[in-house]
Amino acid sequence: MDMYDSALSPAVDIGAGCFLLVVAVFSIVGNLLVLVMAVKRSERMKPPELLSVNLAVTDLGAAVTMYPLAVASAWRHRWVGGDATCVYYAVAGFFFGIASIMNLTGLAIVRFIVSLNLQSPNEKIGWRKVKLLCLWTWLYALIWAMFPFMGWGRYGPEPFGLSCSLAWGQMKHEGFYFVVSMFSFNLVIPSVIIVCCYFGIAIKLYFTYRRSETNSNRIPNIVKLHRRLLVIAVLISLGFIICWSPYAIVSMWSILHESSSIPPQVSLLPCLFAKSSTVYNPLIYYIFSQSFRKEVKQLFLYFSSPICKVSNSINDTSIYMVSTNVKSNVHVVSTTQEIPE
């Protein structure tokens, strides 16, 4: 059988194609909405917010460049285009996947730095640093995506024949150190950094709240705002890691054992689950942010209107924190503006 022929039944192929089509539509629409909201508020955008915009770009890029080809291949019961499209698809998946996890890592670090002094009105991270961080994210992902072309690693079709990625089963010997390095630097270490940063933020919020109980009535409100932002950030990072972990486990199994020992249907499920990671971020924003949900509704109802209401209430659940200027009750009341990062 041709390696690009599907190893699945036609019914499973059709189901997989329908699933990917739904994922593609929701991912493209959701991440476009995030970018539209960012453009509408671009004049008030703060430096850390660029990382969230960058994350939406990576998810949108993956959905646009990969999913239509995967859907067409699934419905055709064979990979479309042969070697050229297979390498293109594998490079795109690897590139956008690494860019996403590195962006999440950078976002966790930036949030941790910002949380070191919740009461300070001064910017901890400037535009230059955030732009360099975003640029580093793309360059880092590009370097890793180019390694297989330099002889370190290899691209190839998945065992079920309807997708392409790193050729895990063909890298048992010459590509073993590439796989170990790739998982270490692009999954294990970033995950540890993300967990440590958000755990540190949680501890900081807890002690800040305890110290402020007898000193101020304003700081607890700021702590509650940061806590909501922390929940959203943790859910986004957790969603990505959970989506890609089954695929990582199956891939490592293919390296350590015979890839043929995994049934095609079993190897398909982690691949589909990993691709669904591009949908969750806009969904989390919509569920947990009243301001984002309100603006999305306004966008659909008043698409041609340039007026967009922005909530300034500290009790409103925002997606991103821009500034929290905390002052005592004698001074001006603290202001919080919610602008997508």
Side-chain angles (χ1 to χ4, degrees):
M1 186 177 67
D2 191 336
M3 63 178 179
Y4 291 126
D5 286 337
S6 175
L8 307 169
S9 66
V12 174
D13 285 343
I14 293 175
C18 293
F19 174 81
L20 288 175
L21 180 61
V22 173
V23 169
V25 171
F26 277 93
S27 179
I28 292 173
V29 172
N31 286 289
L32 274 177
L33 286 174
V34 174
L35 295 179
V36 168
M37 296 301 109
V39 170
K40 290 178 64 177
R41 299 177 174 191
S42 58
E43 295 182 356
R44 300 184 300 275
M45 183 177 292
K46 296 295 182 178
E49 300 166 349
L50 188 60
L51 288 169
S52 295
V53 175
N54 200 42
L55 182 60
V57 171
T58 60
D59 290 342
L60 181 62
V64 171
T65 60
M66 298 172 59
Y67 298 167
L69 183 58
V71 171
S73 299
W75 287 348
R76 191 183 175 188
H77 196 55
R78 189 181 192 279
W79 181 256
V80 176
D83 293 338
T85 56
C86 182
V87 173
Y88 155 79
Y89 188 91
V91 170
F94 193 33
F95 173 72
F96 285 114
I98 293 179
S100 295
I101 187 65
M102 287 299 108
N103 200 87
L104 290 171
T105 306
L107 187 59
I109 295 173
V110 168
R111 287 191 180 278
F112 177 74
I113 295 174
V114 171
S115 71
L116 292 179
N117 193 347
L118 301 180
Q119 300 170 262
S120 175
N122 300 323
E123 292 291 343
K124 299 297 182 182
I125 304 293
W127 279 108
R128 184 175 180 273
K129 292 181 181 179
V130 173
K131 289 179 179 178
L132 287 176
L133 183 58
C134 291
L135 179 61
W136 172 84
T137 296
W138 292 107
L139 290 178
Y140 181 85
L142 181 62
I143 291 172
W144 275 96
M146 292 296 105
F147 277 146
F149 295 111
M150 304 174 188
W152 202 36
R154 184 182 302 178
Y155 292 119
E158 298 274 14
F160 50 88
L162 287 180
S163 180
C164 293
S165 181
L166 292 170
W168 307 107
Q170 302 176 28
M171 294 189 294
K172 295 181 181 296
H173 304 291
E174 70 276 7
F176 181 77
Y177 290 107
F178 169 78
V179 173
V180 172
S181 301
M182 190 273 296
F183 275 111
S184 299
F185 289 102
N186 299 313
L187 184 61
V188 177
I189 294 177
S191 299
V192 171
I193 293 175
I194 290 171
V195 170
C196 290
C197 285
Y198 288 136
F199 185 70
I201 294 173
I203 293 177
K204 176 66 176 180
L205 293 177
Y206 173 77
F207 284 107
T208 301
Y209 183 82
R210 291 292 300 271
R211 287 196 302 267
S212 64
E213 284 181 330
T214 57
N215 299 328
S216 173
N217 293 326
R218 290 293 173 187
I219 297 179
N221 291 331
I222 300 301
V223 172
K224 292 176 182 179
L225 172 62
H226 278 271
R227 185 174 59 190
R228 290 196 292 268
L229 299 171
L230 175 64
V231 169
I232 293 175
V234 168
L235 288 176
I236 291 173
S237 301
L238 194 62
F240 184 90
I241 294 173
I242 290 177
C243 285
W244 281 95
S245 293
Y247 184 79
I249 293 172
V250 171
S251 300
M252 286 300 297
W253 179 272
S254 300
I255 291 291
L256 302 175
H257 303 81
E258 290 295 328
S259 57
S260 58
S261 62
I262 304 176
Q265 294 82 357
V266 175
S267 62
L268 170 68
L269 294 177
C271 186
L272 295 179
F273 194 41
K275 287 180 171 59
S276 67
S277 63
T278 59
V279 176
Y280 298 139
N281 295 351
L283 187 61
I284 291 172
Y285 298 154
Y286 190 83
I287 293 175
F288 287 90
S289 172
Q290 295 178 7
S291 60
F292 182 76
R293 186 165 58 248
K294 183 186 301 182
E295 291 191 1
V296 168
K297 293 177 180 178
Q298 289 176 349
L299 183 66
F300 284 111
L301 294 176
Y302 309 103
F303 186 78
S304 60
S305 175
I307 301 175
C308 181
K309 297 179 181 179
V310 180
S311 173
N312 289 324
S313 171
I314 196 170
N315 294 320
D316 188 11
T317 307
S318 61
I319 309 175
Y320 315 99
M321 183 274 296
V322 176
S323 61
T324 49
N325 188 9
V326 184
K327 300 183 180 180
S328 63
N329 293 337
V330 184
H331 300 298
V332 183
V333 178
S334 63
T335 342
T336 301
Q337 293 185 353
E338 301 162 343
I339 303 172
E341 285 183 2

